[in-house]
mmCIF file of all heavy atoms in Angstrom:
data_model
loop_
_atom_site.group_PDB
_atom_site.id
_atom_site.type_symbol
_atom_site.label_atom_id
_atom_site.label_comp_id
_atom_site.label_asym_id
_atom_site.label_seq_id
_atom_site.Cartn_x
_atom_site.Cartn_y
_atom_site.Cartn_z
ATOM 1 N N ALA B 115 2.665 65.672 -28.140
ATOM 2 C CA ALA B 115 2.370 67.091 -28.325
ATOM 3 C C ALA B 115 1.125 67.492 -27.550
ATOM 4 O O ALA B 115 1.072 68.575 -26.944
ATOM 5 C CB ALA B 115 2.190 67.391 -29.812
ATOM 6 N N PHE B 116 0.113 66.627 -27.531
ATOM 7 C CA PHE B 116 -1.118 66.938 -26.805
ATOM 8 C C PHE B 116 -0.947 66.773 -25.305
ATOM 9 O O PHE B 116 -1.456 67.560 -24.513
ATOM 10 C CB PHE B 116 -2.273 66.064 -27.325
ATOM 11 C CG PHE B 116 -2.708 66.454 -28.710
ATOM 12 C CD1 PHE B 116 -2.407 65.667 -29.802
ATOM 13 C CD2 PHE B 116 -3.405 67.652 -28.916
ATOM 14 C CE1 PHE B 116 -2.778 66.037 -31.076
ATOM 15 C CE2 PHE B 116 -3.785 68.022 -30.198
ATOM 16 C CZ PHE B 116 -3.476 67.220 -31.278
ATOM 17 N N LEU B 117 -0.193 65.727 -24.913
ATOM 18 C CA LEU B 117 0.083 65.520 -23.481
ATOM 19 C C LEU B 117 0.829 66.707 -22.908
ATOM 20 O O LEU B 117 0.684 67.041 -21.734
ATOM 21 C CB LEU B 117 0.925 64.249 -23.294
ATOM 22 C CG LEU B 117 0.152 62.939 -23.278
ATOM 23 C CD1 LEU B 117 1.104 61.764 -23.237
ATOM 24 C CD2 LEU B 117 -0.813 62.886 -22.096
ATOM 25 N N ASN B 118 1.627 67.357 -23.748
ATOM 26 C CA ASN B 118 2.428 68.493 -23.320
ATOM 27 C C ASN B 118 1.566 69.615 -22.723
ATOM 28 O O ASN B 118 2.036 70.399 -21.916
ATOM 29 C CB ASN B 118 3.242 69.023 -24.509
ATOM 30 C CG ASN B 118 4.481 69.754 -24.042
ATOM 31 O OD1 ASN B 118 4.935 69.544 -22.915
ATOM 32 N ND2 ASN B 118 5.021 70.598 -24.900
ATOM 33 N N PHE B 119 0.309 69.705 -23.125
ATOM 34 C CA PHE B 119 -0.589 70.730 -22.560
ATOM 35 C C PHE B 119 -0.837 70.478 -21.081
ATOM 36 O O PHE B 119 -0.954 71.397 -20.287
ATOM 37 C CB PHE B 119 -1.926 70.745 -23.313
ATOM 38 C CG PHE B 119 -1.809 71.327 -24.695
ATOM 39 C CD1 PHE B 119 -2.162 70.587 -25.812
ATOM 40 C CD2 PHE B 119 -1.330 72.628 -24.883
ATOM 41 C CE1 PHE B 119 -2.046 71.124 -27.087
ATOM 42 C CE2 PHE B 119 -1.215 73.167 -26.157
ATOM 43 C CZ PHE B 119 -1.580 72.417 -27.258
ATOM 44 N N PHE B 120 -0.909 69.180 -20.713
ATOM 45 C CA PHE B 120 -1.260 68.818 -19.339
ATOM 46 C C PHE B 120 -0.020 68.645 -18.468
ATOM 47 O O PHE B 120 0.106 69.246 -17.416
ATOM 48 C CB PHE B 120 -2.090 67.528 -19.341
ATOM 49 C CG PHE B 120 -3.280 67.602 -20.253
ATOM 50 C CD1 PHE B 120 -3.284 66.943 -21.470
ATOM 51 C CD2 PHE B 120 -4.409 68.370 -19.914
ATOM 52 C CE1 PHE B 120 -4.360 67.016 -22.312
ATOM 53 C CE2 PHE B 120 -5.486 68.446 -20.764
ATOM 54 C CZ PHE B 120 -5.476 67.776 -21.978
ATOM 55 N N VAL B 121 0.915 67.803 -18.944
ATOM 56 C CA VAL B 121 2.144 67.565 -18.194
ATOM 57 C C VAL B 121 3.278 68.323 -18.890
ATOM 58 O O VAL B 121 3.281 68.420 -20.114
ATOM 59 C CB VAL B 121 2.482 66.052 -18.193
ATOM 60 C CG1 VAL B 121 3.394 65.715 -17.025
ATOM 61 C CG2 VAL B 121 1.239 65.199 -18.188
ATOM 62 N N SER B 122 4.207 68.882 -18.109
ATOM 63 C CA SER B 122 5.335 69.565 -18.768
ATOM 64 C C SER B 122 6.512 68.603 -18.847
ATOM 65 O O SER B 122 7.054 68.165 -17.837
ATOM 66 C CB SER B 122 5.693 70.848 -18.006
ATOM 67 O OG SER B 122 6.455 70.545 -16.897
ATOM 68 N N PHE B 123 6.888 68.216 -20.071
ATOM 69 C CA PHE B 123 8.004 67.301 -20.290
ATOM 70 C C PHE B 123 9.308 68.071 -20.328
ATOM 71 O O PHE B 123 9.308 69.283 -20.537
ATOM 72 C CB PHE B 123 7.844 66.585 -21.643
ATOM 73 C CG PHE B 123 6.856 65.481 -21.628
ATOM 74 C CD1 PHE B 123 5.653 65.596 -22.319
ATOM 75 C CD2 PHE B 123 7.103 64.313 -20.926
ATOM 76 C CE1 PHE B 123 4.735 64.566 -22.316
ATOM 77 C CE2 PHE B 123 6.187 63.284 -20.930
ATOM 78 C CZ PHE B 123 5.002 63.413 -21.615
ATOM 79 N N ASP B 124 10.387 67.328 -20.124
ATOM 80 C CA ASP B 124 11.694 67.886 -20.421
ATOM 81 C C ASP B 124 11.787 68.064 -21.948
ATOM 82 O O ASP B 124 11.415 67.174 -22.705
ATOM 83 C CB ASP B 124 12.794 66.925 -19.928
ATOM 84 C CG ASP B 124 14.180 67.408 -20.340
ATOM 85 O OD1 ASP B 124 14.529 68.549 -20.012
ATOM 86 O OD2 ASP B 124 14.872 66.636 -21.027
ATOM 87 N N LEU B 125 12.237 69.236 -22.381
ATOM 88 C CA LEU B 125 12.224 69.556 -23.812
ATOM 89 C C LEU B 125 12.991 68.520 -24.631
ATOM 90 O O LEU B 125 12.551 68.097 -25.695
ATOM 91 C CB LEU B 125 12.830 70.944 -24.034
ATOM 92 C CG LEU B 125 12.577 71.506 -25.431
ATOM 93 C CD1 LEU B 125 11.142 71.946 -25.595
ATOM 94 C CD2 LEU B 125 13.514 72.650 -25.751
ATOM 95 N N ARG B 126 14.152 68.117 -24.108
ATOM 96 C CA ARG B 126 14.966 67.179 -24.866
ATOM 97 C C ARG B 126 14.305 65.808 -24.995
ATOM 98 O O ARG B 126 14.405 65.141 -26.006
ATOM 99 C CB ARG B 126 16.337 67.028 -24.206
ATOM 100 C CG ARG B 126 17.365 67.868 -24.951
ATOM 101 C CD ARG B 126 18.728 67.564 -24.467
ATOM 102 N NE ARG B 126 18.823 68.023 -23.069
ATOM 103 C CZ ARG B 126 19.954 68.453 -22.531
ATOM 104 N NH1 ARG B 126 21.029 68.515 -23.253
ATOM 105 N NH2 ARG B 126 19.996 68.820 -21.289
#
Side-chain angles (χ1 to χ4, degrees):
Chain B
F116 289 107
L117 278 174
N118 205 21
F119 288 122
F120 307 105
V121 202
S122 80
F123 282 111
D124 175 56
L125 193 73
R126 259 189 294 211

